[in-house]
Amino acid sequence: MANLKITRVRSDIGRPQEQRRTMRALGLRKIGQSVVHKDTPTLRGQILAVRHMVTVEEVN
């Protein structure tokens, strides 16, 4: 499977607690921070829940 680079581009201020926890679970704390995770169905679901606060790109 490929890897996904997830970058936080927006704040979670004023967002529901569940979305804040999802951002923490992804390992994103600061705006502009990026993390690389393996592409799994679980990860895709987390990204879908916070898609308005992150950008995603595929990396090798």
Side-chain angles (χ1 to χ4, degrees):
M1 291 189 149
N3 289 326
L4 297 176
K5 179 180 178 184
I6 308 160
T7 305
R8 183 176 186 152
V9 294
R10 290 201 163 183
S11 172
D12 58 11
I13 295 173
R15 302 290 179 187
Q17 189 67 30
E18 185 175 325
Q19 290 179 4
R20 290 175 179 222
R21 288 182 182 151
T22 301
M23 293 296 278
R24 272 302 186 147
L26 289 171
L28 297 169
R29 295 179 179 211
K30 297 181 178 183
I31 295 174
Q33 182 181 5
S34 297
V35 293
V36 177
H37 290 288
K38 288 186 179 180
D39 187 9
T40 63
T42 304
L43 182 69
R44 289 285 181 160
Q46 288 178 321
I47 292 170
L48 189 63
V50 294
R51 64 187 175 272
H52 53 284
M53 293 188 280
V54 298
T55 59
V56 180
E57 54 189 276
E58 190 173 326
V59 295
N60 292 329

